[in-house]
Amino acid sequence: MMLFALIAVLFLGGLAAWYSERFCPAAPRRIAVATLAIEALLVFVQFSTAEPVDYLSAGESPIWIADFKRPWIPRFGIGFHLALDGLSLLLISLTVFLGFMAVSSSWTEIKHRQGFFFFNLLFCLAGTVGVFLAMDLFLFFFFWEAMIIPMYFMISIWGHESRIYAAIKFFIFTQASGLLMLLAIVTFALIFHDNTGIYSFDYFDLLEAPLDPTIAFWLMLGFFIAFAVKLPAVPFHTWLPDAHTQAPTGGSVILAGVMLKTGAYGLLRFVVPLFPEAAQEFAPVAMALGAISVLYAAMMAFAQSDLKRLIAYTSVSHMGFIMLGVFSLNMQALQGSVITMLAHGISASALFMIAGALQERLHTREMNCMSGFWIEMPRLSAITLFFAIASLGLPGLGNFIGEFLVLLGAFKATVTLTVLAALVLILAPVYSLIIIQKVFHGPLRRQHFHSDFGRRELVFMGLLVLSTVWLGLHPQPVLNLAAPPLEQDIQLCCQGDNG
């Protein structure tokens, strides 16, 4: 029941926030904070008291921490099956942590229909947690689609000047790719029925299903495209800069910090374990897309004058590292991908919160209209410098650990693509320094001067700073927690080779 509560608390809290607006305009954001506090307590309980559930064969170590299964549509073998392992626990923790950041960044920015906004924010988080927990493929698709709808509303209602265009583009890309995944899921279940006479969408049943190599490749491709669009990877990335640029700050935090990670999670949870042979066959193509994403998005980033659009392209570049690491199919690269997911979620969210704070104060995102803020806004400037150098991969911070492990593991798989991806170590400082130079140095434009970060903003930014430093200096607990499910992925690939 605890796993079900992780989803239900967020959804019910969203309903309470929406309903409370009719009594008190300030109540929705307070209820959102209280809801996330309860959710954080539930996550802490999972860390401290959960008993392992062994789904592996005898003699192997368990990887599952908790399990919840109830019948849902038994006629078609669809169950409400949730399960938690180290990987999903890390990502749910990131989701809750960044949920606080999204609420904080929306505290003064959202001025109308606050109840409905915080309902959509918490509903989106509930859908994301459901994605990280669902072990029935039909249920996974249900949550996959559920988290898209509130994000569409957040962009289209509370976004900026071209919000309708950006929201529709986001919706079309994600829905079209989701349809491919649905077709792959239904086809997989029908093949399982033909082989066994039983309808089942359960992950653990399908994990053991024998597949013709050609069919497996096409099914894998249906999953891969859906996850590559959400990640996103070049050439499926074009929706992301528009969505980030037009979304409210809280929406950008959730989108960059959490929703993009569902694509990476899907690659690790479904593509590699369910289709190990097809994933190995497709690995050179996927790694090439990852390397191209790293370089192309980095070059596009330093060509931008819109601050949020620049940060959006840096997200595409970092997600390219994750794809490169996942399809390297060795432990170092997979662990690097997980660290990158967490570190990027923190640093990108911080940069979008900074961009949102500047836009709220200056009413513009154009860096050409900014300069000289270092003297007048020293706290905001120093924090921006910290996350700019974190984003470029400064040693001692979380992003460096992730990128270093990915490159180390990818080098074992392909030297050429690893060397190409490593060129981003030259490009990343360029776009990071562009932000610092254009926004914070040069002559002060006093007509745009507004207040520095206040106490509330400093507290939440401080938490992001501490998280980035902790992940960079002490990543071993995260690596240990993520190791068992990643080892299972590698074992399945090895079994595929032996088969």
Side-chain angles (χ1 to χ4, degrees):
M1 283 299 293
M2 187 70 75
L3 300 185
F4 178 73
L6 286 171
I7 301 170
V9 164
L10 291 171
F11 181 71
L12 294 175
L15 289 175
W18 189 5
Y19 184 72
S20 68
E21 186 180 20
R22 65 181 63 188
F23 304 110
C24 176
R29 60 193 186 186
R30 296 170 184 167
I31 291 176
V33 171
T35 300
L36 289 167
I38 297 172
E39 187 78 1
L41 179 62
L42 294 177
V43 172
F44 177 77
V45 170
Q46 289 298 331
F47 267 106
S48 59
T49 63
E51 293 292 332
V53 179
D54 191 354
Y55 274 105
L56 302 181
S57 60
E60 295 182 358
S61 60
I63 67 171
W64 298 98
I65 297 170
D67 177 78
F68 176 82
K69 187 175 183 179
R70 296 291 186 273
W72 185 17
I73 312 176
R75 180 177 180 181
F76 297 107
I78 298 172
F80 195 90
H81 189 183
L82 308 174
L84 183 76
D85 66 356
L87 176 62
S88 50
L89 182 55
L90 287 172
L91 292 173
I92 290 171
S93 302
L94 178 69
T95 300
V96 177
F97 180 57
L98 296 183
F100 282 108
M101 303 302 142
V103 172
S104 170
S105 60
S106 306
W107 202 263
T108 57
E109 180 182 347
I110 304 302
K111 295 179 172 61
H112 70 284
R113 302 184 69 182
Q114 290 189 27
F116 191 48
F117 175 85
F118 286 106
F119 164 74
N120 281 287
L121 191 152
L122 293 173
F123 184 18
C124 187
L125 294 178
T128 305
V129 171
V131 164
F132 293 142
L133 290 175
M135 287 292 110
D136 181 283
L137 266 63
F138 187 87
L139 181 64
F140 172 81
F141 177 78
F142 173 82
F143 285 124
W144 182 267
E145 294 295 300
M147 70 178 175
I148 293 171
I149 298 170
M151 181 56 66
Y152 169 83
F153 285 125
M154 290 171 69
I155 298 173
S156 63
I157 297 175
W158 294 277
H160 303 300
E161 60 277 359
S162 300
R163 59 186 180 274
I164 301 300
Y165 167 79
I168 292 175
K169 188 174 183 180
F170 161 76
F171 193 77
I172 290 174
F173 267 77
T174 51
Q175 286 294 302
S177 60
L179 177 61
L180 291 177
M181 182 170 65
L182 177 62
L183 291 173
I185 289 172
V186 172
T187 303
F188 199 174
L190 291 176
I191 292 172
F192 183 81
H193 176 263
D194 289 342
N195 292 334
T196 64
I198 300 171
Y199 285 111
S200 178
F201 288 81
D202 193 88
Y203 175 82
F204 299 103
D205 291 339
L206 299 179
L207 202 61
E208 305 294 331
L211 288 173
D212 178 84
T214 302
I215 295 175
F217 181 85
W218 287 107
L219 292 178
M220 181 277 299
L221 202 59
F223 281 86
F224 174 82
I225 292 175
F227 299 142
V229 169
K230 186 61 69 68
L231 194 62
V234 174
F236 309 109
H237 71 288
T238 59
W239 64 269
L240 184 66
D242 293 317
H244 269 313
T245 302
Q246 301 304 322
T249 304
S252 290
V253 169
I254 297 303
L255 189 58
V258 179
M259 287 189 69
L260 301 190
K261 308 309 179 290
T262 61
Y265 171 82
L267 296 176
L268 289 167
R269 174 68 74 217
F270 296 103
V271 170
V272 174
L274 291 176
F275 316 103
E277 294 179 11
Q280 288 180 301
E281 181 184 350
F282 191 70
V285 177
M287 293 181 72
L289 289 177
I292 291 170
S293 298
V294 169
L295 292 175
Y296 172 80
M299 289 187 289
M300 289 296 293
F302 66 73
Q304 306 302 314
S305 62
D306 186 306
L307 180 56
K308 289 189 74 175
R309 199 170 185 87
L310 187 156
I311 300 169
Y313 274 109
T314 68
S315 293
V316 178
S317 182
H318 284 92
M319 294 302 100
F321 267 109
I322 293 175
M323 181 169 286
L324 184 67
V326 169
F327 284 92
S328 296
L329 298 173
N330 60 65
M331 194 61 179
Q332 286 175 324
L334 290 175
Q335 288 192 320
S337 296
V338 173
I339 293 289
T340 302
M341 290 163 68
L342 301 175
H344 170 265
I346 295 168
S347 61
S349 296
L351 288 172
F352 277 116
M353 290 172 69
I354 291 166
L358 287 170
Q359 184 172 4
E360 188 176 358
R361 288 161 168 78
L362 310 174
H363 308 292
T364 181
R365 299 185 302 271
E366 285 294 322
M367 291 186 292
N368 295 328
C369 299
M370 308 177 192
S371 69
F373 293 153
W374 191 280
I375 295 176
E376 299 294 344
M377 292 190 281
R379 296 190 291 270
L380 187 151
S381 303
I383 291 171
T384 305
L385 177 61
F386 175 86
F387 284 108
I389 62 176
S391 181
L392 63 85
L394 183 74
L397 301 178
N399 298 69
F400 170 78
I401 300 295
E403 292 174 8
F404 177 76
L405 287 173
V406 167
L407 292 173
L408 198 63
F411 190 82
K412 299 177 181 179
T414 168
V415 175
T416 303
L417 292 178
T418 305
V419 171
L420 288 175
L423 293 176
V424 80
L425 301 178
I426 301 172
L427 299 175
V430 175
Y431 62 67
S432 297
L433 291 175
I434 285 175
I435 296 174
I436 301 302
Q437 178 63 39
K438 287 189 173 182
V439 178
F440 300 104
H441 292 287
L444 174 64
R445 305 193 181 206
R446 292 189 178 273
Q447 65 271 26
H448 288 158
F449 170 68
H450 285 262
S451 61
D452 201 352
F453 270 162
R455 185 179 302 175
R456 173 181 53 82
E457 293 163 314
L458 285 175
V459 168
F460 284 97
M461 282 294 172
L463 291 173
L464 292 169
V465 168
L466 291 175
S467 301
T468 302
V469 172
W470 179 81
L471 197 58
L473 297 180
H474 194 52
Q476 196 59 49
V478 173
L479 296 175
N480 291 340
L481 195 57
L486 300 182
E487 287 174 352
Q488 186 193 41
D489 286 357
I490 295 173
Q491 289 172 7
L492 290 170
C493 288
C494 293
Q495 291 173 7
D497 281 343
N498 296 334

